[in-house]
Coordinates of all heavy atoms in Angstrom, one line a residue:
M1342 N 9.5 -61.1 188.8 CA 9.4 -59.8 188.3 C 10.1 -59.7 187.0 O 11.3 -60.2 186.9 CB 9.9 -58.7 189.3 CG 9.6 -57.3 188.8 SD 10.2 -56.0 190.0 CE 10.3 -56.7 191.6
K1343 N 9.6 -59.1 186.0 CA 10.1 -58.9 184.7 C 10.5 -57.4 184.4 O 9.7 -56.6 184.7 CB 9.3 -59.4 183.6 CG 9.8 -59.3 182.2 CD 8.8 -59.9 181.2 CE 9.3 -59.8 179.8 NZ 8.3 -60.2 178.8
I1344 N 11.7 -57.2 184.0 CA 12.2 -55.9 183.7 C 12.1 -55.6 182.1 O 12.6 -56.4 181.4 CB 13.6 -55.6 184.1 CG1 13.7 -55.8 185.6 CG2 14.1 -54.2 183.7 CD1 15.1 -55.6 186.2
I1345 N 11.3 -54.6 181.8 CA 11.2 -54.2 180.4 C 11.8 -52.8 180.2 O 11.4 -51.8 180.9 CB 9.8 -54.2 179.9 CG1 9.1 -55.6 180.1 CG2 9.6 -53.7 178.5 CD1 7.6 -55.6 180.0
E1346 N 12.8 -52.6 179.3 CA 13.4 -51.4 179.1 C 12.6 -50.7 178.0 O 12.8 -51.0 176.8 CB 14.9 -51.6 178.8 CG 15.7 -52.1 180.0 CD 17.1 -52.2 179.7 OE1 17.7 -51.2 179.2 OE2 17.7 -53.2 180.0
Y1347 N 11.7 -49.8 178.3 CA 10.9 -49.1 177.4 C 11.6 -48.5 176.2 O 11.1 -48.3 175.1 CB 9.9 -48.2 178.1 CG 8.9 -48.8 178.9 CD1 8.7 -48.3 180.2 CD2 8.1 -49.9 178.4 CE1 7.7 -49.0 181.0 CE2 7.2 -50.4 179.2 CZ 7.0 -50.0 180.5 OH 6.0 -50.6 181.3
L1348 N 12.8 -47.9 176.6 CA 13.5 -47.2 175.5 C 14.1 -48.1 174.4 O 14.2 -47.8 173.3 CB 14.6 -46.4 176.1 CG 14.2 -45.2 177.0 CD1 15.4 -44.6 177.6 CD2 13.3 -44.3 176.3
K1349 N 14.3 -49.4 174.8 CA 14.8 -50.4 173.9 C 13.6 -51.2 173.3 O 13.8 -51.7 172.2 CB 15.7 -51.3 174.6 CG 17.1 -50.7 175.0 CD 18.0 -51.6 175.6 CE 19.3 -51.0 176.2 NZ 20.1 -51.8 176.9
Q1350 N 12.6 -51.5 174.1 CA 11.4 -52.3 173.7 C 10.2 -51.6 174.1 O 9.6 -51.9 175.1 CB 11.6 -53.7 174.3 CG 10.5 -54.6 173.9 CD 10.6 -55.9 174.6 OE1 11.5 -56.1 175.4 NE2 9.7 -56.8 174.4
P1351 N 9.7 -50.6 173.3 CA 8.5 -49.8 173.7 C 7.3 -50.7 173.8 O 7.1 -51.7 173.2 CB 8.3 -48.9 172.5 CG 9.6 -48.8 171.8 CD 10.3 -50.2 172.0
P1352 N 6.4 -50.4 174.8 CA 5.2 -51.1 174.9 C 4.3 -51.0 173.7 O 4.3 -49.9 173.1 CB 4.6 -50.5 176.2 CG 5.1 -49.2 176.2 CD 6.5 -49.2 175.6
S1353 N 3.4 -51.9 173.5 CA 2.4 -51.8 172.5 C 1.3 -50.8 173.0 O 1.2 -50.5 174.2 CB 1.8 -53.1 172.1 OG 1.1 -53.6 173.3
T1354 N 0.4 -50.5 172.2 CA -0.7 -49.7 172.6 C -1.5 -50.4 173.7 O -1.9 -49.8 174.7 CB -1.7 -49.3 171.4 OG1 -0.9 -48.5 170.4 CG2 -2.9 -48.5 171.8
A1355 N -1.8 -51.7 173.4 CA -2.6 -52.5 174.4 C -1.8 -52.5 175.8 O -2.5 -52.4 176.8 CB -2.8 -53.9 173.9
E1356 N -0.5 -52.8 175.7 CA 0.3 -52.8 176.9 C 0.3 -51.6 177.7 O 0.0 -51.5 178.9 CB 1.7 -53.3 176.7 CG 1.9 -54.6 176.2 CD 3.2 -54.9 175.6 OE1 3.9 -54.0 175.0 OE2 3.7 -56.1 175.8
L1357 N 0.4 -50.4 177.0 CA 0.4 -49.1 177.7 C -1.0 -48.8 178.2 O -1.2 -48.3 179.3 CB 0.8 -48.0 176.7 CG 1.0 -46.7 177.3 CD1 2.0 -46.7 178.5 CD2 1.6 -45.8 176.2
E1358 N -2.1 -49.2 177.5 CA -3.4 -49.0 178.0 C -3.6 -49.8 179.3 O -4.2 -49.4 180.3 CB -4.5 -49.4 177.0 CG -4.6 -48.4 175.8 CD -5.5 -48.9 174.7 OE1 -5.8 -50.1 174.6 OE2 -5.8 -48.0 173.9
H1359 N -3.1 -51.1 179.3 CA -3.2 -52.0 180.5 C -2.4 -51.3 181.7 O -2.9 -51.3 182.8 CB -2.6 -53.3 180.1 CG -2.5 -54.2 181.3 ND1 -3.5 -54.9 181.8 CD2 -1.4 -54.6 182.0 CE1 -3.2 -55.7 182.8 NE2 -1.9 -55.5 183.0
I1360 N -1.3 -50.8 181.4 CA -0.5 -50.1 182.4 C -1.2 -49.0 183.0 O -1.3 -48.8 184.2 CB 0.9 -49.7 181.9 CG1 1.8 -51.0 181.7 CG2 1.6 -48.8 182.9 CD1 3.0 -50.8 180.9
L1361 N -1.7 -48.2 182.2 CA -2.5 -46.9 182.6 C -3.6 -47.3 183.5 O -4.0 -46.7 184.5 CB -2.9 -46.1 181.4 CG -1.9 -45.3 180.7 CD1 -2.4 -44.9 179.3 CD2 -1.5 -44.2 181.6
D1362 N -4.3 -48.4 183.0 CA -5.5 -49.0 183.8 C -5.1 -49.4 185.2 O -5.7 -49.0 186.2 CB -6.1 -50.2 183.1 CG -7.4 -49.9 182.5 OD1 -7.9 -48.8 182.6 OD2 -8.0 -51.0 182.1
K1363 N -4.0 -50.2 185.3 CA -3.4 -50.6 186.6 C -3.1 -49.4 187.4 O -3.2 -49.5 188.7 CB -2.3 -51.6 186.4 CG -2.7 -52.9 185.7 CD -3.3 -53.8 186.7 CE -3.7 -55.1 186.1 NZ -4.6 -55.9 186.9
L1364 N -2.5 -48.5 186.9 CA -2.1 -47.3 187.6 C -3.2 -46.4 188.0 O -3.1 -45.5 188.8 CB -1.0 -46.5 186.9 CG 0.3 -47.1 186.8 CD1 1.2 -46.4 185.7 CD2 1.0 -47.2 188.1
G1365 N -4.3 -46.5 187.3 CA -5.5 -45.6 187.4 C -5.1 -44.2 187.0 O -5.6 -43.3 187.7
M1366 N -4.4 -44.1 185.9 CA -3.9 -42.8 185.4 C -4.4 -42.5 183.9 O -4.7 -43.4 183.2 CB -2.5 -42.7 185.4 CG -1.8 -42.7 186.7 SD 0.0 -42.6 186.5 CE 0.5 -41.9 188.0
E1367 N -4.4 -41.3 183.6 CA -4.6 -40.9 182.3 C -3.3 -40.7 181.6 O -2.3 -40.5 182.3 CB -5.4 -39.5 182.2 CG -6.9 -39.6 182.7 CD -7.7 -40.5 181.8 OE1 -7.6 -40.5 180.6 OE2 -8.5 -41.4 182.4
P1368 N -3.2 -40.7 180.3 CA -1.9 -40.7 179.6 C -1.0 -39.5 180.1 O 0.2 -39.8 180.4 CB -2.2 -40.6 178.2 CG -3.5 -41.3 178.0 CD -4.2 -40.9 179.3
R1369 N -1.5 -38.3 180.2 CA -0.6 -37.2 180.5 C 0.0 -37.3 181.9 O 1.1 -36.8 182.2 CB -1.4 -35.9 180.5 CG -1.5 -35.3 179.1 CD -2.0 -33.9 179.1 NE -2.3 -33.5 177.8 CZ -3.5 -33.7 177.3 NH1 -4.5 -34.3 177.9 NH2 -3.8 -33.4 176.0
Q1370 N -0.7 -38.1 182.8 CA -0.2 -38.3 184.1 C 1.1 -39.2 184.1 O 1.8 -39.2 185.1 CB -1.2 -38.9 185.0 CG -2.4 -38.0 185.3 CD -3.5 -38.6 186.1 OE1 -4.2 -39.6 185.6 NE2 -3.6 -38.3 187.4
L1371 N 1.3 -39.9 183.1 CA 2.3 -40.8 183.0 C 3.4 -40.3 182.0 O 4.5 -40.9 181.8 CB 1.9 -42.2 182.5 CG 2.8 -43.4 182.6 CD1 3.3 -43.6 184.0 CD2 2.2 -44.6 181.9
M1372 N 3.3 -39.1 181.7 CA 4.3 -38.5 180.7 C 5.3 -37.7 181.4 O 5.0 -37.0 182.4 CB 3.5 -37.6 179.7 CG 2.8 -38.2 178.7 SD 2.1 -37.0 177.5 CE 1.1 -38.1 176.5
R1373 N 6.5 -37.7 180.8 CA 7.6 -36.8 181.2 C 7.5 -35.6 180.4 O 7.9 -35.5 179.3 CB 8.9 -37.6 181.0 CG 9.0 -38.9 181.8 CD 10.1 -39.8 181.3 NE 11.4 -39.2 181.2 CZ 12.3 -39.3 182.1 NH1 12.2 -40.2 183.1 NH2 13.5 -38.7 182.0
K1374 N 6.9 -34.6 181.0 CA 6.6 -33.4 180.3 C 7.8 -32.5 179.9 O 7.7 -31.6 179.1 CB 5.6 -32.5 181.1 CG 4.3 -33.3 181.3 CD 3.4 -32.6 182.3 CE 2.1 -33.4 182.5 NZ 2.3 -34.6 183.1
Q1375 N 8.9 -32.8 180.5 CA 10.2 -32.0 180.2 C 10.9 -32.5 178.9 O 11.8 -31.9 178.4 CB 11.1 -32.0 181.3 CG 11.9 -33.4 181.6 CD 11.0 -34.4 182.3 OE1 9.8 -34.2 182.6 NE2 11.6 -35.5 182.7
E1376 N 10.4 -33.7 178.4 CA 11.1 -34.2 177.2 C 10.7 -33.5 176.0 O 9.6 -33.0 175.8 CB 10.8 -35.7 177.1 CG 11.2 -36.6 178.2 CD 12.7 -36.7 178.3 OE1 13.4 -36.4 177.4 OE2 13.2 -37.0 179.4
A1377 N 11.6 -33.4 175.0 CA 11.4 -32.6 173.8 C 10.2 -33.1 173.0 O 9.5 -32.3 172.5 CB 12.7 -32.7 172.8
P1378 N 9.9 -34.4 172.9 CA 8.7 -34.9 172.1 C 7.4 -34.3 172.7 O 6.4 -34.2 172.0 CB 8.8 -36.3 172.2 CG 10.2 -36.7 172.4 CD 10.7 -35.6 173.3
Y1379 N 7.4 -34.0 174.0 CA 6.2 -33.5 174.7 C 5.9 -32.1 174.0 O 4.7 -31.8 173.6 CB 6.4 -33.4 176.2 CG 5.1 -33.0 176.9 CD1 4.2 -33.9 177.3 CD2 4.8 -31.6 177.1 CE1 3.0 -33.6 177.9 CE2 3.7 -31.2 177.7 CZ 2.8 -32.2 178.1 OH 1.5 -31.9 178.8
K1380 N 6.9 -31.2 174.0 CA 6.7 -29.9 173.4 C 6.5 -30.0 171.8 O 5.7 -29.3 171.3 CB 7.9 -29.1 173.7 CG 8.0 -28.8 175.3 CD 9.3 -28.1 175.6 CE 9.4 -27.9 177.0 NZ 10.2 -28.9 177.7
A1381 N 7.3 -30.8 171.2 CA 7.3 -31.0 169.7 C 5.9 -31.4 169.2 O 5.5 -31.0 168.2 CB 8.4 -31.9 169.2
N1382 N 5.2 -32.3 170.0 CA 3.9 -32.8 169.6 C 2.8 -32.0 170.3 O 1.6 -32.4 170.2 CB 3.8 -34.3 170.0 CG 4.7 -35.1 169.1 OD1 4.4 -35.4 167.9 ND2 5.8 -35.6 169.6
N1383 N 3.1 -30.9 170.9 CA 2.1 -30.1 171.6 C 1.1 -30.8 172.4 O 0.0 -30.7 172.4 CB 1.3 -29.2 170.6 CG 0.6 -28.1 171.1 OD1 0.9 -27.6 172.2 ND2 -0.6 -27.7 170.4
L1384 N 1.7 -31.7 173.3 CA 0.9 -32.6 174.1 C 0.2 -32.0 175.2 O -0.7 -32.6 175.9 CB 1.8 -33.8 174.6 CG 2.4 -34.6 173.5 CD1 3.3 -35.7 174.0 CD2 1.3 -35.2 172.6
A1385 N 0.5 -30.7 175.5 CA -0.3 -29.9 176.5 C -1.7 -29.6 175.9 O -2.6 -29.1 176.7 CB 0.5 -28.7 176.9
D1386 N -1.9 -29.7 174.6 CA -3.1 -29.4 174.0 C -4.3 -30.3 174.5 O -4.2 -31.5 174.3 CB -3.1 -29.5 172.5 CG -4.3 -29.2 171.7 OD1 -5.3 -28.9 172.3 OD2 -4.3 -29.3 170.5
T1387 N -5.2 -29.7 175.2 CA -6.3 -30.5 175.9 C -7.3 -31.1 174.9 O -8.1 -31.9 175.2 CB -7.1 -29.6 176.9 OG1 -7.6 -28.5 176.2 CG2 -6.1 -29.2 178.0
Q1388 N -7.2 -30.7 173.6 CA -8.0 -31.2 172.6 C -7.6 -32.6 172.1 O -8.3 -33.3 171.4 CB -8.1 -30.3 171.4 CG -8.6 -28.9 171.7 CD -10.1 -28.9 172.2 OE1 -10.9 -29.6 171.7 NE2 -10.3 -28.3 173.4
L1389 N -6.3 -33.0 172.4 CA -5.9 -34.3 172.0 C -6.6 -35.4 172.8 O -6.7 -35.3 174.0 CB -4.3 -34.4 172.2 CG -3.5 -33.5 171.3 CD1 -2.0 -33.6 171.8 CD2 -3.7 -33.8 169.9
D1390 N -7.1 -36.5 172.1 CA -7.8 -37.5 172.8 C -6.8 -38.5 173.4 O -5.6 -38.6 173.0 CB -8.9 -38.1 171.9 CG -8.3 -38.8 170.7 OD1 -7.0 -39.1 170.6 OD2 -9.1 -39.3 169.8
K1391 N -7.4 -39.4 174.2 CA -6.6 -40.5 174.8 C -5.8 -41.3 173.8 O -4.6 -41.6 174.0 CB -7.5 -41.2 175.7 CG -6.7 -42.3 176.5 CD -7.7 -43.0 177.5 CE -7.0 -44.0 178.4 NZ -7.9 -44.6 179.4
A1392 N -6.5 -41.8 172.8 CA -5.9 -42.6 171.8 C -4.7 -42.0 171.1 O -3.6 -42.6 170.9 CB -6.9 -43.0 170.8
T1393 N -4.8 -40.7 170.9 CA -3.7 -40.0 170.2 C -2.5 -39.9 171.2 O -1.3 -40.0 170.8 CB -4.1 -38.5 169.8 OG1 -5.2 -38.7 168.9 CG2 -3.0 -37.7 169.2
L1394 N -2.8 -39.5 172.4 CA -1.7 -39.4 173.4 C -1.0 -40.7 173.6 O 0.2 -40.8 173.7 CB -2.3 -38.9 174.8 CG -2.9 -37.5 174.8 CD1 -3.6 -37.3 176.1 CD2 -1.8 -36.5 174.5
I1395 N -1.8 -41.8 173.7 CA -1.1 -43.2 173.8 C -0.3 -43.5 172.6 O 0.8 -44.0 172.7 CB -2.2 -44.3 174.1 CG1 -2.7 -44.0 175.5 CG2 -1.6 -45.6 173.9 CD1 -4.0 -44.9 175.9
R1396 N -0.8 -43.3 171.4 CA -0.1 -43.5 170.2 C 1.3 -42.7 170.2 O 2.3 -43.3 169.9 CB -0.9 -43.1 168.9 CG -0.1 -43.3 167.7 CD -0.9 -42.8 166.5 NE -1.3 -41.4 166.5 CZ -0.6 -40.4 166.4 NH1 0.6 -40.5 166.0 NH2 -1.2 -39.2 166.4
I1397 N 1.2 -41.5 170.6 CA 2.5 -40.7 170.6 C 3.5 -41.2 171.7 O 4.6 -41.3 171.4 CB 2.1 -39.2 170.8 CG1 1.4 -38.7 169.6 CG2 3.4 -38.4 171.1 CD1 0.9 -37.3 169.7
M1398 N 2.9 -41.7 172.8 CA 3.8 -42.3 173.8 C 4.5 -43.6 173.3 O 5.6 -43.8 173.6 CB 2.9 -42.6 175.1 CG 2.5 -41.3 175.8 SD 1.3 -41.6 177.1 CE 2.4 -42.3 178.4
V1399 N 3.7 -44.4 172.6 CA 4.2 -45.6 172.0 C 5.3 -45.3 171.0 O 6.4 -45.9 171.0 CB 3.2 -46.5 171.4 CG1 3.7 -47.7 170.6 CG2 2.3 -47.0 172.5
E1400 N 5.1 -44.3 170.2 CA 6.1 -43.9 169.2 C 7.2 -43.1 169.8 O 8.4 -43.1 169.2 CB 5.4 -42.9 168.2 CG 4.4 -43.5 167.3 CD 3.5 -42.6 166.5 OE1 3.7 -41.3 166.7 OE2 2.7 -43.0 165.8
N1401 N 7.1 -42.6 171.0 CA 8.2 -41.8 171.7 C 8.3 -42.3 173.1 O 7.9 -41.6 174.1 CB 7.9 -40.3 171.7 CG 7.8 -39.7 170.3 OD1 8.8 -39.4 169.7 ND2 6.5 -39.6 169.7
P1402 N 8.8 -43.5 173.3 CA 8.8 -44.1 174.7 C 9.5 -43.3 175.7 O 9.4 -43.5 176.9 CB 9.4 -45.4 174.5 CG 10.2 -45.4 173.2 CD 9.4 -44.4 172.3
I1403 N 10.4 -42.3 175.3 CA 11.1 -41.5 176.2 C 10.1 -40.7 177.0 O 10.4 -40.2 178.1 CB 12.1 -40.5 175.5 CG1 13.1 -40.0 176.5 CG2 11.4 -39.5 174.7 CD1 14.3 -39.4 175.9
L1404 N 8.9 -40.5 176.5 CA 7.8 -39.7 177.2 C 7.2 -40.5 178.5 O 6.7 -39.8 179.3 CB 6.6 -39.4 176.3 CG 6.9 -38.4 175.2 CD1 5.8 -38.4 174.2 CD2 7.1 -37.0 175.8
I1405 N 7.4 -41.8 178.5 CA 6.9 -42.6 179.5 C 7.7 -42.6 180.8 O 8.9 -42.8 180.8 CB 6.7 -44.1 179.1 CG1 5.9 -44.2 177.8 CG2 6.1 -44.9 180.2 CD1 5.9 -45.5 177.2
E1406 N 7.0 -42.1 181.9 CA 7.7 -42.1 183.2 C 8.1 -43.5 183.6 O 7.4 -44.5 183.3 CB 6.6 -41.5 184.2 CG 7.3 -41.3 185.6 CD 8.4 -40.2 185.6 OE1 8.1 -39.1 185.2 OE2 9.5 -40.5 185.9
R1407 N 9.2 -43.6 184.2 CA 9.8 -44.9 184.6 C 10.6 -44.7 185.8 O 11.0 -43.6 186.2 CB 10.6 -45.5 183.4 CG 11.6 -44.5 182.8 CD 12.1 -45.0 181.5 NE 13.2 -44.2 181.0 CZ 13.0 -43.0 180.5 NH1 11.7 -42.6 180.3 NH2 14.0 -42.3 180.1
P1408 N 10.8 -45.8 186.4 CA 10.4 -47.2 186.2 C 9.0 -47.4 186.6 O 8.5 -46.8 187.5 CB 11.3 -48.1 187.0 CG 11.6 -47.2 188.2 CD 11.7 -45.8 187.7
I1409 N 8.3 -48.4 185.9 CA 7.0 -48.8 186.2 C 7.2 -50.2 186.7 O 7.7 -51.0 185.9 CB 6.0 -48.7 185.0 CG1 5.9 -47.2 184.6 CG2 4.7 -49.3 185.5 CD1 5.2 -47.0 183.3
V1410 N 6.5 -50.5 187.9 CA 6.7 -51.9 188.4 C 5.3 -52.5 188.3 O 4.3 -51.9 188.8 CB 7.3 -51.9 189.8 CG1 7.3 -53.4 190.4 CG2 8.7 -51.3 189.8
L1411 N 5.2 -53.7 187.7 CA 4.0 -54.5 187.8 C 4.2 -55.7 188.6 O 5.1 -56.5 188.3 CB 3.6 -54.9 186.3 CG 3.3 -53.7 185.4 CD1 3.2 -54.3 184.0 CD2 2.0 -53.0 185.8
A1412 N 3.4 -55.9 189.6 CA 3.5 -57.1 190.5 C 2.2 -57.4 191.2 O 1.5 -56.4 191.6 CB 4.6 -56.8 191.5
N1413 N 1.9 -58.6 191.3 CA 0.7 -59.0 192.1 C -0.6 -58.4 191.6 O -1.4 -58.0 192.3 CB 0.9 -58.7 193.6 CG 2.1 -59.4 194.2 OD1 2.3 -60.6 193.9 ND2 2.9 -58.7 195.0
G1414 N -0.7 -58.2 190.3 CA -1.9 -57.6 189.6 C -2.0 -56.2 189.8 O -3.1 -55.6 189.6
K1415 N -1.0 -55.5 190.3 CA -1.0 -54.1 190.6 C 0.1 -53.4 189.8 O 1.0 -54.1 189.3 CB -0.9 -53.8 192.1 CG -2.1 -54.4 192.8 CD -1.9 -54.2 194.3 CE -3.0 -54.8 195.1 NZ -2.8 -54.7 196.5
A1416 N 0.1 -52.1 189.8 CA 1.2 -51.4 189.2 C 1.6 -50.1 190.1 O 0.7 -49.6 190.8 CB 0.8 -50.9 187.8
A1417 N 2.8 -49.7 190.0 CA 3.3 -48.5 190.7 C 4.4 -47.9 189.9 O 5.2 -48.6 189.2 CB 3.8 -48.9 192.1
I1418 N 4.6 -46.6 190.0 CA 5.7 -45.9 189.5 C 6.8 -45.9 190.5 O 6.5 -45.6 191.6 CB 5.4 -44.5 189.0 CG1 4.3 -44.5 187.9 CG2 6.6 -43.7 188.5 CD1 3.7 -43.2 187.5
G1419 N 8.0 -46.3 190.1 CA 9.0 -46.4 191.1 C 9.8 -45.1 191.5 O 10.9 -45.2 191.8
R1420 N 9.1 -44.0 191.5 CA 9.7 -42.8 192.0 C 8.7 -42.1 192.9 O 7.6 -41.7 192.4 CB 9.9 -41.8 190.8 CG 11.1 -42.3 190.0 CD 11.5 -41.3 188.9 NE 12.4 -41.9 188.1 CZ 13.1 -41.4 187.1 NH1 12.8 -40.1 186.8 NH2 14.0 -42.0 186.3
P1421 N 9.0 -42.1 194.1 CA 10.1 -42.6 194.8 C 10.1 -44.1 194.9 O 9.0 -44.7 194.8 CB 10.0 -42.0 196.2 CG 8.5 -41.8 196.4 CD 8.0 -41.4 195.1
P1422 N 11.2 -44.7 195.1 CA 11.3 -46.2 195.2 C 10.4 -46.8 196.1 O 9.8 -47.9 195.9 CB 12.7 -46.5 195.5 CG 13.5 -45.3 195.1 CD 12.6 -44.1 195.2
E1423 N 10.1 -46.1 197.2 CA 9.2 -46.7 198.3 C 7.8 -46.9 197.8 O 7.1 -47.7 198.4 CB 9.2 -45.7 199.5 CG 10.5 -45.5 200.2 CD 11.4 -44.5 199.5 OE1 11.0 -43.7 198.6 OE2 12.7 -44.7 199.7
A1424 N 7.4 -46.3 196.7 CA 6.0 -46.4 196.1 C 5.8 -47.9 195.7 O 4.6 -48.3 195.7 CB 5.8 -45.5 195.0
V1425 N 6.9 -48.5 195.3 CA 6.8 -49.9 194.8 C 6.5 -50.9 196.0 O 5.7 -51.9 195.8 CB 8.1 -50.3 194.2 CG1 8.0 -51.8 193.8 CG2 8.3 -49.5 193.0
L1426 N 6.8 -50.5 197.2 CA 6.6 -51.4 198.4 C 5.1 -51.7 198.5 O 4.8 -52.8 199.0 CB 7.2 -50.8 199.6 CG 8.8 -50.6 199.6 CD1 9.2 -50.0 200.9 CD2 9.4 -52.0 199.4
A1427 N 4.3 -50.8 198.2 CA 2.8 -51.0 198.4 C 2.2 -52.1 197.6 O 1.2 -52.7 198.0 CB 2.1 -49.7 198.2
I1428 N 2.9 -52.5 196.5 CA 2.3 -53.5 195.7 C 3.1 -54.8 195.7 O 2.7 -55.9 195.1 CB 2.3 -53.1 194.1 CG1 3.7 -52.9 193.5 CG2 1.5 -51.8 193.9 CD1 3.7 -52.8 192.1
L1429 N 4.1 -54.9 196.5 CA 4.9 -56.2 196.6 C 4.3 -57.0 197.7 O 3.6 -56.7 198.6 CB 6.3 -55.8 196.9 CG 7.1 -55.2 195.8 CD1 8.5 -54.8 196.2 CD2 7.0 -55.9 194.5

């Protein structure tokens, strides 16, 4: 298992798209809506497309819910920690 600290090393657009695919989520589902960049970028606006949301997440990695665990070709958000057990 590899640990990537998104705040220090943000994922690329392709990496984030891959993670979203594995999680079966749309960008807003993986966002931390309480963070300042969410409000500052008006990310609740339903007119924003997926590419725009992903670009903003890459530019502001604090928006990405974490931890995200990738293992055995699957992905899970580690909150609660027990959610990771399903993919191990």
Side-chain angles (χ1 to χ4, degrees):
M1342 184 178 343
K1343 182 178 177 184
I1344 297 173
I1345 299 170
E1346 295 185 45
Y1347 290 131
L1348 296 179
K1349 293 180 183 176
Q1350 183 183 357
S1353 68
T1354 298
E1356 289 169 328
L1357 190 51
E1358 287 172 345
H1359 174 76
I1360 290 167
L1361 286 164
D1362 246 9
K1363 292 284 182 194
L1364 289 168
M1366 293 181 155
E1367 291 298 317
R1369 274 192 198 87
Q1370 293 175 287
L1371 191 60
M1372 286 186 186
R1373 298 165 55 104
K1374 295 170 182 69
Q1375 73 280 7
E1376 297 295 339
Y1379 187 86
K1380 295 174 183 96
N1382 288 288
N1383 195 27
L1384 297 179
D1386 180 356
T1387 58
Q1388 299 300 311
L1389 296 173
D1390 64 9
K1391 184 175 183 175
T1393 300
L1394 295 171
I1395 290 172
R1396 177 184 53 78
I1397 293 170
M1398 291 170 77
V1399 169
E1400 292 170 358
N1401 299 276
I1403 197 165
L1404 288 169
I1405 302 170
E1406 187 63 58
R1407 50 197 185 279
I1409 300 169
V1410 177
L1411 300 171
N1413 302 316
K1415 299 176 185 175
I1418 296 176
R1420 289 185 188 183
E1423 296 79 24
V1425 175
L1426 296 176
I1428 67 167
L1429 296 179

